[in-house]
Amino acid sequence: MFEAIKLLVGVVSLIMVYRTITGNCNKYLAFAICAIWLRYFLSAFHTVTYPSLVAGFSINALGSIGVAGLGLLLIPTAVFTLKKLLPFYAFFIAIAVSGFVNMQIPGTINVLVKWCYFLVLAGALFLSIRSQGQNETFKKLLVAFVMPITMQVFSVLMGHAKAAEADGSISYIGGYNHEAAFSMIIVSFIFVVGLVERNTIRFRTSLFTLAVILLILVNYRTAILTILPIAAVFYFTLIEQRLKPSQKAPVLTIVAMIFTAVFLVLSLTMQERFADVGLMLGNLDLITKAPIYFSEAEKDIMSARVYIWSQYIDAFTNANMLHKIFGFGPDSWRGVFAKYAHNTFVSNLYEYGYLGFYSFIGMMLFALKEAFKIHKKSLAKIVGLSIVGFLIMNLATMPLWNIEGLIFFAIVVGIVFSSSKQIDLTKSKATSARVIRKGQTVI
């Protein structure tokens, strides 16, 4: 029954996508909408699309490879030569070097294809925003989220839930495979709704609030922590825009008190889910503790995350200098550890060594710096704090390991680069001319 509903919703969402991209929609935005919709559609039918099909590749993987390849053909070469992409290329090179040194060729190809997917999607959104503006771009992009949002609503209404933890808690994820990837879909949706200007779509605030509630129902702690700064900025900005200057201080103070009270109520309601967070913060020394010395109780902290991190860190600490510099290679955890690292920073340190670890931090700090340099202050706050929340999320899970997380990051980077001063594509007349010859004026 639920699978039949999935198929019906998928067909309806496809019709909506078709009507959107055949309207007043530039080709880069059409590509982004189709790429995101395709990922969410295929992931909904994970029992079919996840298992290996051809040469070890699943339907999902083949879809990602196809999107990345098509994007490389569609996006003008000039976009890939932007100086702002250098920190990203430094990280990509670190991945490639680590893979070559360790001869982890399949893993290297797998990881680089994912980042290629990110690159073409970010480039497409960058060009679309420069062409049609931020508001028009993100208003149309919302159609790509129709299927997962609708399916989650159906899962709540029909009581179709997934057991998430050993404590008996459940997650409403619309019949998708895992709450980690699905939570990133909802986070992306919340972010896009927050970027659409007031009065552009009907019931914008209600839609944003519904999305926040849906994220809570996903019941994934790290995603909830990620969205807190985005939600705070959204509601504060919403209220601030309706106030006179003389009213702002007292009204916003009251609003801050209400937000604090709501947060405390939510904390008490979900205290069992977040109790481990406080326990971990009070015992940070466990991260560097050798895994053999963990007690059974310590192994269970943060759903065994702390214990998993200690295994990776211990293996890296006892490695030779070559592996410390270049890591053990992309996807090298497979066959060594039972589970992936559940921490992007720990994973990068183990797989890519100091070279990849510091290049990744450099890439993220560069994106954060550029976000806060956006000339529109309200947008700078939303995007900048979204990156901060995303970095926090990466401390306890690995959203960038999934395409769903890379989609969110691509949306963030697309808006960051397109909202900065027009220095990359306009400095060089030759560069601008090359973009125009590709069939799309971007300035």
Side-chain angles (χ1 to χ4, degrees), residues 375-417:
H375 58 278
K376 188 177 179 181
K377 297 303 179 184
S378 59
L379 181 61
K381 284 191 294 185
I382 291 176
V383 178
L385 290 176
S386 296
I387 295 177
V388 171
F390 189 60
L391 287 172
I392 294 172
M393 185 177 192
N394 277 274
L395 288 170
T397 188
M398 293 171 59
L400 294 174
W401 190 42
N402 295 311
I403 292 293
E404 288 79 6
L406 288 171
I407 288 173
F408 171 77
F409 193 42
I411 296 172
V412 171
V413 171
I415 189 67
V416 166
F417 286 0

Side-chain angles (χ1 to χ4, degrees), residues 217-422:
L217 292 175
V218 172
N219 198 22
Y220 199 63
R221 287 171 294 199
T222 51
I224 295 173
L225 293 174
T226 300
I227 211 62
L228 287 178
I230 303 176
V233 172
F234 177 87
Y235 289 117
F236 266 99
T237 303
L238 183 70
I239 296 170
E240 188 180 32
Q241 290 172 342
R242 300 173 183 269
L243 297 175
K244 296 178 181 179
S246 60
Q247 298 173 324
K248 287 185 178 180
V251 173
L252 290 180
T253 300
I254 295 173
V255 171
M257 294 172 64
I258 294 173
F259 281 170
T260 302
V262 171
F263 176 73
L264 290 174
V265 170
L266 287 173
S267 299
L268 291 173
T269 304
M270 305 179 70
Q271 60 181 336
E272 289 186 7
R273 298 286 290 132
F274 285 95
D276 280 354
V277 176
L279 184 60
M280 182 200 69
L281 293 175
N283 297 274
L284 289 176
D285 58 307
L286 288 176
I287 298 174
T288 57
K289 183 177 179 179
I292 60 173
Y293 297 117
F294 270 65
S295 66
E296 291 302 316
E298 290 172 338
K299 289 180 180 180
D300 291 332
I301 295 176
M302 286 283 291
S303 301
R305 279 175 170 80
V306 178
Y307 178 61
I308 293 171
W309 300 342
S310 72
Q311 291 177 310
Y312 279 79
I313 293 173
D314 184 66
F316 178 81
T317 302
N318 293 307
N320 58 42
M321 186 53 64
L322 182 69
H323 283 135
K324 285 184 177 179
I325 295 174
F326 299 107
F328 290 86
D331 281 351
S332 55
W333 67 273
R334 300 181 186 276
V336 178
F337 300 103
K339 297 182 178 180
Y340 65 94
H342 287 76
N343 183 312
T344 300
F345 299 95
V346 171
S347 178
N348 287 345
L349 183 65
Y350 177 82
E351 294 191 355
Y352 314 134
Y354 290 129
L355 183 65
F357 178 77
Y358 288 114
S359 60
F360 175 77
I361 290 178
M363 178 183 78
M364 299 304 293
L365 290 178
F366 175 78
L368 184 62
K369 183 192 73 171
E370 291 297 307
F372 282 116
K373 285 170 60 178
I374 294 175
H375 58 278
K376 188 177 179 181
K377 297 303 179 184
S378 59
L379 181 61
K381 284 191 294 185
I382 291 176
V383 178
L385 290 176
S386 296
I387 295 177
V388 171
F390 189 60
L391 287 172
I392 294 172
M393 185 177 192
N394 277 274
L395 288 170
T397 188
M398 293 171 59
L400 294 174
W401 190 42
N402 295 311
I403 292 293
E404 288 79 6
L406 288 171
I407 288 173
F408 171 77
F409 193 42
I411 296 172
V412 171
V413 171
I415 189 67
V416 166
F417 286 0
S418 62
S419 300
S420 59
K421 292 183 179 179
Q422 298 179 10

